[in-house]
Amino acid sequence: MKDLDAKPANTGKFQDPFVTADGQERASVSLGKPETLWFNTGTQCNIECANCYILSSPVNDALVYMTASEVIGYLEQITERAWPIREIGFTGGEPFMNPQMIDMARAALSRGYEVLILTNAMRPMMRERVRNGLTALHAEFGAKLTLRVSLDHHSPTVHDKERGTGSFDKTLAGMRWLRETGIRMTVAGRAQFDESETSARSGFATLFQAHRFAIDAQNPAELVLFPEMDETVEVPEITTACWGILGKRPQDVMCASSRMVVKRKGAEHPAVLACTLLPYVPEFELGATLAEAERDVHLNHPHCAKFCVLGGASCSA
């Protein structure tokens, strides 16, 4: 398993939140227009993937179960702070391990938000109580509810190598149930399997067609392909000058439009994080309230550079 705080390939970098290793001003991002508030429902999961960025497993309770009352508290803060939130997202772990997942989703949907739940669509989702809850939510809120299913690859062999023997078939069984129920479904895959994005999308398109899944594999919003988050890769630090060099804007970075709420084991209350990708890095914990979470985020981590800013680009002039 990976140590998420290790930075072996970037020795000397990403140390000072305000200054890069070569003495330049580090880039920062303001919360310009918050559109999505994420809740991590807990790190426990029914499976243990080979490269899970958050180290979810049946025994990892580093992030404990969020409760419906805690979620409602933050939904009320959204109103108090007048955040223009459009979407409430739930991630894990496996969100349907949390016994209050349906209640949390209902709390958000009933306030008019779109709800996105990330799931592996396996046994936790397929329990009768959960299926009945999802069916009821769909009947009442329709397309406001979306489930994003984790399907790492269009090949069972490759997918099962990551998630365990038989997991591909179990996930497809859950997806077929979602199809028959009419619940809106998208897919999250991985893009690191030695194939081009074009090839990956083509393979998924064939799979979706074969199973009559109404998912457009060419649409990045319906098939999200995530890169491997490998901190052993050397990446440059992002300075304030990089925005002009790259032709990019701070407001396009994820932390300009989202925050994530987690509850750490032993903590008295949840905390708000700057980034969904960095749940274990203390520097990116902004406080207990949305008001505290409105402060700027300094891009002091390799993930900030590689995934959120560069996207394959170079920061050299």
Side-chain angles (χ1 to χ4, degrees):
M1 281 295 180
K2 295 178 287 187
D3 177 357
L4 294 178
D5 294 325
K7 303 169 185 175
N10 295 285
T11 302
K13 296 181 180 179
F14 305 104
Q15 302 299 313
D16 187 309
F18 305 106
V19 181
T20 62
D22 60 0
Q24 298 186 65
E25 181 182 358
R26 187 178 303 283
S28 63
V29 173
S30 299
L31 184 66
K33 184 182 179 183
E35 296 180 343
T36 302
L37 183 61
W38 287 93
F39 291 92
N40 187 295
T41 63
T43 39
Q44 287 191 308
C45 186
N46 56 302
I47 58 175
E48 185 172 5
C49 300
N51 289 297
C52 179
Y53 82 99
I54 202 169
L55 307 180
S56 298
S57 76
V59 297
N60 181 8
D61 61 351
L63 302 182
V64 297
Y65 287 153
M66 193 75 61
T67 67
S69 63
E70 288 167 339
V71 168
I72 289 169
Y74 283 96
L75 298 179
E76 292 173 348
Q77 288 184 49
I78 290 174
T79 302
E80 293 167 3
R81 304 301 300 172
W83 280 18
I85 292 291
R86 171 186 59 83
E87 175 186 64
I88 301 297
F90 294 96
T91 184
E94 167 53 48
F96 292 112
M97 294 279 286
N98 187 315
Q100 297 190 37
M101 184 62 253
I102 298 298
D103 294 336
M104 292 187 288
R106 178 173 291 280
L109 288 163
S110 65
R111 286 164 171 77
Y113 299 112
E114 297 176 22
V115 165
L116 176 64
I117 305 175
L118 278 53
T119 178
N120 57 38
M122 295 172 71
R123 183 176 179 180
M125 189 196 79
M126 292 296 284
R127 291 178 302 206
E128 184 177 6
R129 177 186 62 81
V130 175
R131 285 188 286 125
N132 289 343
L134 287 171
T135 300
L137 291 177
H138 172 65
E140 186 172 352
F141 300 103
K144 284 278 192 177
L145 173 67
T146 300
L147 269 63
R148 181 189 289 168
V149 178
S150 298
L151 192 67
D152 287 335
H153 199 261
H154 46 82
S155 159
T157 301
V158 177
H159 175 89
D160 284 3
K161 185 177 180 180
E162 170 71 20
R163 292 181 176 256
T165 302
S167 61
F168 185 88
D169 290 340
K170 292 174 183 176
T171 292
L172 254 62
M175 293 176 70
R176 288 192 291 270
W177 178 80
L178 292 170
R179 179 197 66 199
E180 294 303 317
T181 309
I183 296 172
R184 187 170 184 271
M185 169 176 50
T186 61
V187 163
R190 291 180 183 247
Q192 81 280 14
F193 294 113
D194 297 323
E195 63 181 346
S196 67
E197 181 174 339
T198 299
S199 176
R201 292 191 180 277
S202 176
F204 274 108
T206 299
L207 177 70
F208 296 159
Q209 184 177 19
H211 291 273
R212 297 183 290 113
F213 297 145
I215 303 170
D216 181 0
Q218 305 307 318
N219 184 342
E222 296 191 29
L223 172 60
V224 184
L225 293 177
F226 290 106
E228 184 63 53
M229 292 188 289
D230 184 358
E231 293 186 30
T232 66
V233 175
E234 180 80 18
V235 294
E237 295 180 285
I238 304 300
T239 69
T240 54
C242 288
W243 302 122
I245 295 170
L246 296 170
K248 295 194 175 184
R249 306 179 306 166
Q251 55 265 43
D252 293 330
V253 178
M254 185 168 61
C255 54
S257 61
S258 69
R259 292 289 187 263
M260 183 169 76
V261 182
V262 306
K263 189 171 184 181
R264 304 193 189 282
K265 186 176 181 179
E268 293 183 5
H269 48 70
V272 187
L273 310 186
C275 179
T276 62
L277 303 180
L278 299 169
Y280 300 129
V281 184
E283 183 179 332
F284 290 84
E285 184 170 320
L286 303 177
T289 67
L290 297 188
E292 293 172 289
E294 291 173 352
R295 58 191 173 92
D296 292 356
V297 177
H298 290 82
L299 304 184
N300 191 31
H301 194 280
H303 288 352
C304 304
K306 182 177 180 182
F307 302 115
C308 295
V309 178
L310 296 177
S314 172
C315 197
S316 58

